[in-house]
Amino acid sequence: MTLANYFLFVSIFLDICSLKLAADCQKGCEQSRGSIGKAGMKNLAMQGHSFRNYTLSKPYDCHVKCFEEKCKCQAYQIRENRCELLDEDRFSAPEDFFKEKGYTYYDMNREYVNQVTSESNIQCAEVSYYLRDYLRAKLNDIDVMRLNFDGCKKYEFISIRGYNCSNCTAQFVQTDNWHAHTDSFWGPKIGCQFTSQSTGAVRLLGGEDNFGWYQTVNPAHRCTSSNDSTTQWWLGVLIRRH
């Protein structure tokens, strides 16, 4: 019996500044499942990610303030009666999560983020439905919604300008300053396995950007071949039918 694979995708829109979930964070009916019913993580705190502070008497009030910030607040932490709202959490920026005496850290587990990540295990970036200038990776290898990273990551498949690689590592970049993309010039130079992509890659202004950011572009890459070119990032699940 022939096995046919079908991908069911939930779209994620790519804007000029960052990747945003295709969920309307401004709706008043947004649900949240914070850890207010559980003990926070004592003597631990995020450093460098506090964007708003309040003087509050109860952890619940801090949770409410974080919820009111919609997408921007990813977690919060408390020291005595000082409430700090955080734009990153211990998952997206683990290198900034430290022991800090007197602090209590709380995750902010939003319903729409939990639903998408729990039901999705595949993500793609593409220009068209053809397997040229296309990438595919598992969410547990590259969590595009939370990962703050610049280095080599594993892809199931990646194609740039006709060069491709399967089950190999290639560069993935997503930081506070850069939305998700790869760099076909610098990726091989930092030790990633996908080396053929550097053939014909543009070096100027920090290297050729693919699937996002686009400070340095190459018209040979379909994502940047014309002013009408677009890039789409997707989340989805693999549905197998027998």
Side-chain angles (χ1 to χ4, degrees):
M1 188 173 293
T2 303
L3 176 66
N5 294 334
Y6 296 86
F7 289 100
L8 175 64
F9 294 112
V10 177
S11 178
I12 285 189
F13 298 99
L14 179 66
D15 72 6
I16 195 169
C17 297
S18 62
L19 286 170
K20 295 182 178 179
L21 285 175
D24 186 358
C25 300
Q26 302 305 317
K27 288 183 178 178
C29 62
E30 177 197 7
Q31 299 180 48
S32 172
R33 294 187 301 178
S35 46
I36 197 64
K38 306 175 183 178
M41 303 177 69
K42 295 185 181 298
N43 298 318
L44 290 167
M46 295 289 294
Q47 294 185 4
H49 294 287
S50 174
F51 69 90
R52 191 155 294 159
N53 300 327
Y54 295 95
T55 300
L56 300 169
S57 59
K58 296 181 293 183
Y60 176 78
D61 295 332
C62 193
H63 172 89
V64 170
K65 291 294 184 183
C66 186
F67 176 73
E68 289 174 351
E69 291 290 338
K70 307 294 182 181
C71 294
K72 188 173 183 180
C73 186
Q74 299 299 310
Y76 58 95
Q77 56 198 28
I78 297 172
R79 183 171 186 174
E80 297 178 348
N81 63 346
R82 178 186 174 89
C83 162
E84 298 181 13
L85 307 187
L86 307 171
D87 58 12
E88 299 285 355
D89 60 23
R90 60 192 174 103
F91 303 105
S92 61
E95 69 280 2
D96 297 327
F97 193 49
F98 296 98
K99 291 183 179 180
E100 192 72 35
K101 188 175 181 180
Y103 272 92
T104 303
Y105 168 90
Y106 295 85
D107 287 315
M108 189 67 174
N109 185 7
R110 295 185 180 276
E111 182 69 24
Y112 60 82
V113 173
N114 184 70
Q115 181 179 355
V116 171
T117 55
S118 66
E119 296 180 1
S120 303
N121 56 17
I122 294 173
Q123 62 192 40
C124 302
E126 60 180 346
V127 185
S128 68
Y129 291 103
Y130 301 100
L131 296 182
R132 173 174 170 142
D133 297 319
Y134 166 90
L135 66 81
R136 187 175 72 247
K138 292 182 178 178
L139 195 62
N140 57 4
D141 290 324
I142 304 177
D143 188 344
V144 74
M145 292 190 296
R146 299 186 180 188
L147 190 62
N148 193 323
F149 188 81
D150 183 354
C152 300
K153 282 291 184 181
K154 183 180 178 181
Y155 293 81
E156 288 189 335
F157 181 82
I158 181 168
S159 170
I160 297 177
R161 289 177 278 98
Y163 300 96
N164 58 72
C165 186
S166 299
N167 295 315
C168 64
T169 61
Q171 188 181 27
F172 176 81
V173 182
Q174 180 171 262
T175 69
D176 292 338
N177 298 318
W178 300 323
H179 60 63
H181 70 285
T182 67
D183 189 311
S184 54
F185 178 80
W186 286 109
K189 295 184 181 301
I190 64 173
C192 301
Q193 295 170 337
F194 184 22
T195 58
S196 60
Q197 62 177 318
S198 62
T199 304
V202 177
R203 179 176 182 174
L204 298 176
L205 300 176
E208 178 183 329
D209 301 313
N210 308 107
F211 307 111
W213 185 240
Y214 300 134
Q215 181 182 28
T216 302
V217 301
N218 186 341
H221 187 261
R222 288 190 177 190
C223 293
T224 53
S225 60
S226 73
N227 291 334
D228 296 325
S229 299
T230 61
T231 303
Q232 298 88 37
W233 284 78
W234 305 79
L235 286 181
V237 294
L238 179 63
I239 300 176
R240 299 183 183 274
R241 293 184 179 178
H242 295 272

